[in-house]
Amino acid sequence: MSSGRRLSWALVGLAMVVAQPAAAYVLERTDSGVVITWPQTCVEWWMQLDGSSDVGAAASAAALQASFDRWDYLDDHFVDFWRRGATCTDSIGFPGDGGQQNVVMWRDDLWPYAERVVGLTSLSFEPDTGYLADADVELNGADYQFAVDGSPSDYDLQHALTHEIGHV
């Protein structure tokens, strides 16, 4: 074995010994350092009525359910997500009038954020306690195409949703 190859294997071995385990996710915190979390274990969610215009309402709902189910499957995840149905709302944030809904929606006509952003999750929380009051997910259907059939030229809808729901 050449000395270069031995050195390569030695470096790999050293990296395995001193490497720190990677975290699967990072907890969000308030400005004062309090962990942002749900005060309850049951979190309800709604899907925007039409879903993604690229795949339709039924395929959007199936991908969304599979994405929430993927997070529910984790052992150290202390929130249970419950589907409540479809909604006509297209607003984000906590309304403060008791009409709170955690909504997943598609922005197919106009994306109000940077074009490079595929999806965005907005959290509304109490700064003193870190307790979440609302979480809304928006997907950029104006600048990106979504698919559920493995199309290599489009974004995988379930993958994008699973990522964004991780922020919820």
Side-chain angles (χ1 to χ4, degrees):
M1 182 181 292
S2 73
S3 62
R5 190 172 196 135
R6 268 193 301 263
L7 178 60
S8 295
W9 280 111
L11 290 174
V12 169
L14 180 62
M16 292 173 62
V17 171
V18 297
Q20 297 294 318
Y25 56 88
V26 175
L27 296 174
E28 295 292 333
R29 296 182 182 273
T30 65
D31 289 341
S32 62
V34 176
V35 173
I36 299 172
T37 186
W38 290 101
Q40 72 277 4
T41 58
C42 179
V43 175
E44 300 173 335
W45 60 271
W46 286 258
M47 183 184 92
Q48 186 182 40
L49 186 62
D50 296 329
S52 168
S53 62
D54 296 329
V55 301
S60 296
L64 187 53
Q65 184 65 58
S67 298
F68 274 109
D69 288 348
R70 185 68 190 134
W71 281 101
D72 278 339
Y73 178 75
L74 298 175
D75 290 336
D76 63 347
H77 188 255
F78 302 106
V79 174
D80 290 318
F81 294 112
W82 291 93
R83 182 179 182 179
R84 298 299 294 165
T87 183
C88 296
T89 190
D90 66 351
S91 61
I92 62 167
F94 187 70
D97 62 2
Q100 179 271 342
Q101 291 182 322
N102 301 306
V103 180
V104 178
M105 63 188 81
W106 285 262
R107 301 288 189 198
D108 290 331
D109 297 324
L110 176 66
W111 181 250
Y113 314 105
E115 183 180 327
R116 63 179 168 71
V117 177
V118 177
L120 182 72
T121 301
S122 299
L123 304 176
S124 299
F125 58 91
E126 173 59 46
D128 295 334
T129 63
Y131 287 163
L132 277 163
D134 182 76
D136 299 310
V137 174
E138 300 170 89
L139 290 173
N140 183 355
D143 299 313
Y144 296 94
Q145 292 285 109
F146 293 98
V148 293
D149 62 0
S151 172
S153 61
D154 298 332
Y155 273 83
D156 182 83
L157 181 59
Q158 185 177 334
H159 179 82
L161 287 167
T162 302
H163 172 89
E164 288 305 317
I165 291 164
H167 298 294
V168 174

